[in-house]
């Protein structure tokens, strides 16, 4: 591979491939910008402000219509940890099996409430009993799978240094993590990995370990969980809006740009070379369509290039000759949101987050802050300070 290509060969006017449209030469940093403006989120203009509703009752029988909830984010009582002082409380069953059975009764009800694109993020920790961990999170996962649920992720909430509960044990390590298990009844649950990665992963998939501290105002006896835990779950799996006619949420449409990160020296050099050699946006699109190995999508189709396989491969070859090894930089170029899908109907409503063990209402607070409608259920709800 060589970068010594005659610039004139790459001038668009001498390339018959460009005869069908006026090529835009990559000639400045601006030319590496977006072809389309970034669209931040589905349109919520005109929708009423997010609402919250608190229902006093049992998580196993909730007075809500079928298919009316987009996401459940919740932390049930952990087995044998606390007495919430109510005859119908979950958590003080005699055996782990009894506890898991109560949680499965909840799941059965929650399945009814979820829209077809809905899912559950369940924060749960384990319990030592008679000197052994009981494997509660794993038992819940196994029972849920037996009941037809998919276990999509077992996320580890790693507590920041000094933030676990003090433990007297001298012959084992102190517990410093809990789980957040993502369950879905179907494979087509709503999931915005792109939006989440942009916020928490610098564009790359951020992985299944969430290192979070406890919020400062957490009273130990109430067992609230961090707001960030709820926020992450909502960003990932609660659509901002859903259709009032069919309940389908708009999904993010993403396109690759030619924009590179100029803070990386290799990316900067790649941009300089592209300018020097007179490459066009069509060249960059061709590199992206063929990919690093030349075995990319261009062999069968070329999303966004508007050209046939042969011409795309020719463009990619020219660009790779011009850029040398730096062509790889353009295969990692930034992606942007260019729009949101539409089911074709008009009406929209906000996505709905439910916490069936709402406690102090952490979930409701975050749902409202992120523009979702919020519903909380608890045998003993503690009035949430919303804001
Ligand atoms: C671990 S706390 C939830 C804490 C909450 N995530 C927060 O941020 O404050 C568990 C809650 O479940 C409630 N609870 C226990 N059994 C219940 C049941 N059968 N139905 C509904 N709520 C129940 C308790 O009253 C308690 O508020």
């Amino acid at each position: 591979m060589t970068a010594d290509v005659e610039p004139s060969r790459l001038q668009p006017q001498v390339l018959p491939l460009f005869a069908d449209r006026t090529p835009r030469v990559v000639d400045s940093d601006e030319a590496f910008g977006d072809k389309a403006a970034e669209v931040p989120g589905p349109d919520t203009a005109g929708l009423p402000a997010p609402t919250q509703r608190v229902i006093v009752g049992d998580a196993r029988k909730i007075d809500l219509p079928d298919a009316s909830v987009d996401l459940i984010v919740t932390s049930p009582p952990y087995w044998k940890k606390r007495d919430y002082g109510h005859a119908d409380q979950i958590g003080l069953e005699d055996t782990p099996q009894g506890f898991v059975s109560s949680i499965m009764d909840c799941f059965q009800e929650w399945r009814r409430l979820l829209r077809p694109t809905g899912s559950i993020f369940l924060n749960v920790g384990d319990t030592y009993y008679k000197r052994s961990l009981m494997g509660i999170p794993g038992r819940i996962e196994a029972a849920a799978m037996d009941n037809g649920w998919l276990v999509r992720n077992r996320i580890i909430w790693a507590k920041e240094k000094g933030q676990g509960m003090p433990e007297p044990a001298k012959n084992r390590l102190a517990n410093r993590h809990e789980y957040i298990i993502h369950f879905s009844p179907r494979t087509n649950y709503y999931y915005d990995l792109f939006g989440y990665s942009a916020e928490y992963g610098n564009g790359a998939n951020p992985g299944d370990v969430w290192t979070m501290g406890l919020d400062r105002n957490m009273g130990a006896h109430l067992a609230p969980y961090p707001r960030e835990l709820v926020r992450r779950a909502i960003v990932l799996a609660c659509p901002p809006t859903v259709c009032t006619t069919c309940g389908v949420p708009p999904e993010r449409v993403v396109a690759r740009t030619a924009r590179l990160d100029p803070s990386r020296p290799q990316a900067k050099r790649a941009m300089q070379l592209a300018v020097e050699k007179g490459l066009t946006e069509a060249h960059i699109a061709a590199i992206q369509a063929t990919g690093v190995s030349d075995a990319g999508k261009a062999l069968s189709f070329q999303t966004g290039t508007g050209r046939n396989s042969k011409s795309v491969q020719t463009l990619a070859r020219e660009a790779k000759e011009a850029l040398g090894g730096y062509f790889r930089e353009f295969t990692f170029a930034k992606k942007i949101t260019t729009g949101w899908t539409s089911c074709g109907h008009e009406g929209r409503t906000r996505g709905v987050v439910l916490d069936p063990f709402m406690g102090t209402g952490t979930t409701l607070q975050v749902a409202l802050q992120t523009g979702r409608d919020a519903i909380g259920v608890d045998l003993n709800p503690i009035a949430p300070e919303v804001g």
Side-chain angles (χ1 to χ4, degrees):
M1 179 100 36
T2 170
D4 297 85
V5 174
E6 275 293 301
S8 60
R9 226 193 102 217
L10 295 166
Q11 291 307 309
Q13 59 272 27
V14 300
L15 287 172
L17 294 167
F18 294 125
D20 58 333
R21 69 174 190 194
T22 311
R24 195 155 84 96
V25 180
V26 176
D27 61 359
S28 70
D29 276 4
E30 285 73 53
F32 291 94
D34 310 326
K35 285 179 193 159
E38 187 140 16
V39 180
D43 189 11
T44 52
L47 291 182
T51 58
Q52 74 158 346
R53 182 174 164 201
V54 174
I55 300 172
V56 179
D58 196 307
R60 290 164 285 199
K61 190 158 180 14
I62 300 175
D63 186 16
L64 286 173
D66 296 357
S68 56
V69 168
D70 294 289
L71 179 68
I72 294 175
V73 188
T74 195
S75 180
Y78 296 177
W79 184 55
K80 283 211 186 291
K81 285 281 166 87
R82 285 169 222 278
D83 184 349
Y84 289 98
H86 194 291
D88 297 332
Q89 70 182 306
I90 288 173
L92 296 182
E93 293 79 357
D94 291 339
T95 61
Q97 291 81 355
F99 173 69
V100 172
S101 168
S102 299
I103 299 291
M104 286 306 107
D105 290 344
C106 295
F107 271 46
Q108 198 180 338
E109 174 70 338
W110 301 350
R111 184 193 283 263
R112 180 184 73 77
L113 301 180
L114 286 175
R115 278 192 238 275
T117 46
S119 61
I120 302 174
F121 280 72
L122 187 84
N123 164 225
V124 63
D126 210 340
T127 299
Y128 278 96
Y129 185 66
K130 297 188 177 167
R131 309 248 158 196
S132 177
L133 279 172
M134 288 290 107
I136 299 286
R139 289 173 191 254
I140 293 175
E141 289 173 350
M145 282 187 278
D146 289 348
N147 287 325
W149 291 82
L150 305 172
V151 179
R152 297 299 299 150
N153 265 132
R154 182 191 308 132
I155 297 157
I156 292 175
W157 165 17
K159 295 182 183 173
E160 277 173 356
K161 208 163 176 272
Q163 296 215 296
M165 297 288 271
E167 291 187 32
K170 293 279 181 282
N171 56 359
R172 65 169 175 80
L173 299 174
N175 176 258
R176 291 289 177 265
H177 73 282
E178 296 182 13
Y179 297 100
I180 302 140
I181 308 167
H182 184 204
F183 297 97
S184 71
R186 298 178 187 79
T187 48
N188 65 332
Y189 54 93
Y190 177 88
Y191 203 71
D192 184 16
L193 182 59
F194 182 89
Y196 178 83
S197 302
E199 194 164 334
Y200 292 102
N202 211 4
N205 188 322
D208 58 4
V209 178
W210 294 359
T211 303
M212 294 175 294
L214 298 169
D215 292 342
R216 226 180 304 151
N217 62 353
M218 286 175 141
H221 64 291
L222 297 172
Y225 52 14
R227 278 187 279 265
E228 185 181 334
L229 183 158
V230 181
R231 188 180 158 77
R232 285 176 179 246
I234 290 176
V235 169
L236 270 174
C238 184
T241 65
V242 291
C243 172
T244 45
T245 307
C246 63
V248 171
E251 304 238 12
R252 193 185 287 272
V253 179
V254 171
R256 203 180 274 286
T257 67
R259 194 202 294 165
L260 303 183
D261 173 4
S263 68
R264 297 182 55 244
Q266 299 96 313
K268 202 165 179 190
R269 182 64 189 135
M271 290 193 283
Q272 282 166 350
L273 274 174
V275 171
E276 281 166 31
K277 306 286 184 176
L279 294 188
T280 66
E281 285 179 350
H283 282 106
I284 304 302
I287 296 175
Q288 292 171 343
T290 53
V292 175
S293 65
D294 279 334
K297 294 177 189 160
L299 298 182
S300 49
F301 68 95
Q302 305 81 48
T303 313
T305 61
R307 290 161 194 277
N308 66 38
S309 291
K310 201 161 176 285
S311 61
V312 169
Q313 284 171 38
T314 305
L315 280 167
R317 195 175 55 249
E318 288 172 355
K320 288 175 183 180
E321 282 171 6
L323 294 169
Y326 289 98
F327 85 88
R328 285 187 186 79
E329 293 298 323
F330 286 101
T331 64
F332 304 122
K334 181 177 158 62
K335 290 179 179 170
I336 61 162
T337 305
T338 53
W340 293 77
T341 57
S342 168
C343 58
H345 302 118
E346 282 282 303
R348 293 277 171 276
T349 184
R350 292 182 187 275
V352 177
V353 181
L354 168 69
D355 185 345
F357 298 106
M358 68 166 263
T360 57
T362 312
T363 306
L364 278 69
Q365 282 181 29
V366 181
L368 296 179
Q369 284 163 359
T370 51
R372 273 65 169 188
D373 287 336
I375 305 174
V377 177
D378 204 297
L379 294 170
N380 305 304
I382 296 156
E385 288 169 34
V386 175

